[in-house]
Amino acid sequence: MFKGLTRLQLQMVALTSLLVLAGSVWLARSESSASGASQCRCFPGDACWPSTSTWNTLNNTVGGRLIKTVPIGAVCHDTFPGVSYNAKKCADVQGNWARPELHDETTHSPMAAFFANMSCDPFTPRSAPCVIGSYVQYAVKASCDSDYRATINFATKYNIRLVIRNTGHDYMGKSTGAGAIALWTHGIKDTTIKDYKSSYYTGKAIKLGAGVQANEAQEAANAKGYVVVEGDCPTVGIAGGYTQGGGTSPLGSKFGLAADQVLEWEVVTGAGTVLTATPTQNTDLYWALAGGGGGTYGAVLSMTVRMYKNMATAGVTLSYLESSDAYWQILQVFLTNLPAVLKSGAVLYWQLLPGNFFYMPQAYLPGGTAKDLVKLLQPTLDALNAKKIPYSLTSKDFPTFQDSFKTLNPEMNITEFNLGGSLIPRSLVATNKSVTALVAGLKSVTDNGGILAGVSMDVSKTPPVPNAAHPAWRDSLFLAFLGTVYDRSNLTANVVAQQAVSNVLDPSLDKLTPNPAAYLNEANFKRANWQSAFYGTNYAKLVSIKKKYDPNAIFWGPTVVGSEAWAPAADGKLCKTGVTV
């Protein structure tokens, strides 16, 4: 989302004077609603917690693939049993902390460090406590459906919190949890390219195991002369929350959301049943999984998606710096011109940075030329020239999409941010009055210490098969990410900063539309009215599907469908809230 920037460049005005700290523990909840152990998931230290021999039995059942968590930061401390401080290994962890590859090979470490709650943080002093804390207690490295069933059945029988995890690419807190067992799907790497034929699609398709990452899927497709719809980060697990949550993409304007590409799902339900969900079989489950959010209806074993012929792709970058109000005037021209640019099939990634710096590190036009893409951006370039504002523009033609992607996006590190954001509708650039209000809203974000990034794509085309992606996607102009820099050393500061996102930054854009919508994969996990913001008018139907396929409510995660029935207490224990869904 925010690329090519040093941490120094990302420093911003503090917002602490605007807010009062409401609590020092994230997602803290009173346990007053939990009147007994049956009201909460079983937790380490409780009498109900399985014995060592019981865990060993599970380990035997899953072929020795049960893994007890040893925090990745334990080598930076003296305080975790069985692990000694190791300066060299600690330096390696610290030096690679921003790299997704460090985390996605672990069973437990989320890339959004906020959700680790500093349980065993590599940047705290050597003598600081290192405990499992908010990390999962155990993980099953699943290889097949029987491992899924065994894990789900174990969690159900012993009333233990269950987490579904692949890589840990997760800004919403869904891939970790105190006292939990993780169903770790990362090892399921099967890919099969096939000639697919059905009543709703005939053509090339690729079946992807739950652990396949975007770069792996793309490489398999490219080897046969095709592409798949993938996101901006190549290490994301493509069949997980990415596609199940909708899925933005550099190919979005050309082919639609990732959720629009799905032909079938292979799923293990909360009852332990293996099902195939397609537009003609278990159709409600198919609909829900394609855009209605991951980790709540069932655990996906595989996903089959459409492939498209690879194509020449144009790439453009643009940046300018301007201290006067002309900066915002140019932005208004840029935004007003966006619908025409996106309608051509282009996708633009851009940022508004401190000091009135506009930075567009990636713009793609699949199937077009660099000359075409520059021409589409000409109104913005003309406005810059008219104001005599210097700018940097590069353009290039690439023989394939992946060539453009690897050049414009050579490395994607973790976004260490207290995150918010929303979907901005095209209606906001339809009149001078509305686009002026939009620019004022964006300016308010940066004036109040925020950084903003936009992912502009046109996914208005009706998908080949109806799905549960938020209806607001079809009318959107861009996805606005916003936030403040995450403080690695001060959890309280991050709690304050997240409150700033909720109370100051998100409202700057929410007030522009009567029914604000947001991207459920990457947004403010504390967002009010999240059911409407993340799911829109689909929510009630999604709840009924959740109840059907997860009758024991074993699947849970923050802001997933049906999640309001449970919440973590102050110690992390997952307890019922008394809310009926």
Side-chain angles (χ1 to χ4, degrees), residues 32 34 316 352 359 390 397 404 427 489:
S32 60
V316 165
L352 305 182
Y359 181 44
D397 290 308
S404 69
S427 61
S489 63

Side-chain angles (χ1 to χ4, degrees), residues 190-198 200-208 217 220-222 224-229 261-264 303-309:
D190 307 302
T191 61
T192 306
I193 293 175
K194 58 176 69 177
D195 293 310
Y196 197 93
K197 187 173 183 179
S198 70
Y200 47 89
Y201 176 71
T202 298
K204 287 290 185 181
I206 185 168
K207 182 178 180 181
L208 304 168
N222 290 171
K224 299 296 184 180
Y226 291 84
V227 294
V228 293
V229 172
Q261 316 308 318
V262 183
L263 300 170
E264 61 183 64
M303 172 184 76
T304 302
V305 296
R306 300 163 187 258
M307 295 200 305
Y308 300 92
K309 277 287 188 182

Side-chain angles (χ1 to χ4, degrees), residues 71-77 79 90 93-94 97 103 109 112-132 135 416 486-491 494:
I72 194 173
V75 292
C76 296
H77 302 279
T79 49
C90 179
V93 169
Q94 292 173 337
W97 193 252
H103 304 270
S109 185
F114 190 92
F115 297 102
N117 202 27
M118 288 188 152
S119 299
C120 183
D121 196 288
F123 297 101
T124 55
R126 175 177 172 177
S127 59
C130 173
V131 295
I132 293 178
Y135 294 126
E416 295 185 84
Y486 179 82
D487 189 331
R488 287 176 173 175
S489 63
N490 190 333
L491 182 62
N494 293 316

Side-chain angles (χ1 to χ4, degrees), residues 19 37 122 139 188 248 277 294 307 335 409 420-421 428 450 457 494 538 546 567:
L19 301 159
I188 304 177
T248 63
M307 295 200 305
L335 295 173
N409 190 28
L428 289 183
M457 60 182 192
N494 293 316
N538 292 333
K546 156 78 169 175

Side-chain angles (χ1 to χ4, degrees), residues 462-480:
T462 302
V465 178
N467 60 42
H470 197 307
W473 275 115
R474 309 306 171 184
D475 301 315
S476 65
L477 179 68
F478 65 92
L479 168 61

Side-chain angles (χ1 to χ4, degrees), residues 278-488:
T278 75
T280 58
Q281 182 181 2
N282 298 308
T283 55
D284 54 351
L285 182 57
Y286 168 87
W287 178 85
L289 287 168
T296 192
Y297 316 103
V300 168
L301 272 165
S302 72
M303 172 184 76
T304 302
V305 296
R306 300 163 187 258
M307 295 200 305
Y308 300 92
K309 277 287 188 182
N310 211 335
M311 72 219 83
T313 300
V316 165
T317 69
L318 173 66
S319 63
Y320 69 91
L321 178 67
E322 174 57 41
S323 59
S324 73
D325 284 345
Y327 175 85
W328 300 103
Q329 295 167 13
I330 301 300
L331 181 65
Q332 184 158 331
V333 173
F334 173 79
L335 295 173
T336 302
N337 187 48
L338 267 181
V341 177
L342 305 181
K343 189 176 182 180
S344 71
V347 172
L348 279 56
Y349 294 77
W350 49 275
Q351 303 166 12
L352 305 182
L353 303 172
N356 282 14
F357 181 45
F358 176 91
Y359 181 44
M360 187 173 73
Q362 303 171 74
Y364 303 92
L365 183 59
T369 67
K371 184 178 180 180
D372 294 334
L373 187 48
V374 171
K375 185 177 181 180
L376 288 164
L377 295 169
Q378 197 62 48
T380 301
L381 303 180
D382 289 344
L384 285 163
N385 290 328
K387 296 287 186 181
K388 294 183 169 54
I389 297 173
Y391 59 89
S392 174
L393 175 74
T394 67
S395 62
K396 186 175 180 179
D397 290 308
F398 297 91
T400 69
F401 165 72
Q402 199 66 358
D403 289 318
S404 69
F405 183 78
K406 288 181 177 179
T407 301
L408 298 179
N409 190 28
E411 184 176 52
M412 174 59 78
N413 282 342
I414 295 167
T415 299
E416 295 185 84
F417 258 65
N418 302 296
L419 194 63
S422 58
L423 292 172
I424 303 301
R426 286 190 297 279
S427 61
L428 289 183
V429 297
T431 67
N432 286 335
K433 182 178 180 180
S434 61
V435 74
T436 299
L438 173 58
V439 170
L442 300 175
K443 187 174 185 295
S444 177
V445 171
T446 60
D447 285 350
N448 283 290
I451 292 176
L452 187 139
V455 177
S456 299
M457 60 182 192
D458 184 340
V459 293
S460 59
K461 184 178 179 181
T462 302
V465 178
N467 60 42
H470 197 307
W473 275 115
R474 309 306 171 184
D475 301 315
S476 65
L477 179 68
F478 65 92
L479 168 61
F481 294 108
L482 56 83
T484 63
V485 176
Y486 179 82
D487 189 331
R488 287 176 173 175

